[in-house]
């Protein structure tokens, strides 16, 4: 099963399809999109993105790279997140 991910960075918006067993980061990389990344295990927070619609699951993993404020503002770590349904993401500019 594939879920649609609407990915926005700056003024560009793209559709990426994410397999239910793949992380969101894997799908973005497969599409050859540049995403800042480092640890790829949810610890560093470099790949931080804001989830503006839809639902994700961390498959029991803990997103240690997020603080409570980021979580309350809807930020996720796509390196360990999987789509539960269609989602919309915005890349945070740092």
């Amino acid at each position: 099963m594939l879920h649609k991910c609407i990915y926005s960075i700056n003024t560009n918006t793209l559709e990426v399809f994410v397999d239910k067993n793949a992380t969101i980061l894997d799908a973005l990389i497969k599409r050859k999109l540049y995403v800042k990344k480092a640890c790829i295990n949810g610890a560093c927070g470099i790949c931080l993105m804001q989830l503006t619609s839809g639902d994700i699951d961390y498959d029991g993993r803990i997103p240690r790279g997020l603080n409570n404020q980021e979580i309350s503002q809807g930020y996720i770590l796509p390196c360990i997140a999987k789509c539960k349904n269609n989602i919309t993401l915005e890349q945070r500019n740092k």
Side-chain angles (χ1 to χ4, degrees):
M1 174 177 232
L2 295 174
H3 296 292
K4 182 169 43 173
C5 170
I6 309 280
Y7 171 69
S8 297
I9 183 166
N10 301 324
T11 58
N12 298 317
T13 300
L14 302 161
E15 285 187 3
V16 176
F17 291 93
V18 183
D19 184 272
K20 70 174 185 163
N21 296 315
T23 66
I24 297 165
L25 181 65
D26 288 340
L28 295 172
I29 291 170
K30 186 176 180 180
R31 181 80 187 271
K32 301 200 184 321
L33 298 172
Y34 174 76
V35 178
K36 289 182 185 180
K37 62 188 181 311
C39 71
I40 64 170
N41 65 13
C44 71
I46 297 292
C47 64
L48 187 70
M49 293 184 188
Q50 190 170 29
L51 181 70
T52 57
S53 71
D55 301 294
I56 58 102
D57 183 40
Y58 288 118
D59 258 352
R61 299 179 77 181
I62 299 170
R64 298 188 193 282
L66 291 176
N67 62 43
N68 289 336
Q69 181 179 2
E70 291 165 334
I71 292 169
S72 70
Q73 293 173 343
Y75 287 99
I76 67 161
L77 297 177
C79 65
I80 60 171
K82 295 181 179 181
C83 296
K84 290 178 73 175
N85 48 37
N86 293 341
I87 65 169
T88 303
L89 291 173
E90 290 184 19
Q91 176 69 54
R92 180 169 118 166
N93 290 326
K94 276 191 163 182

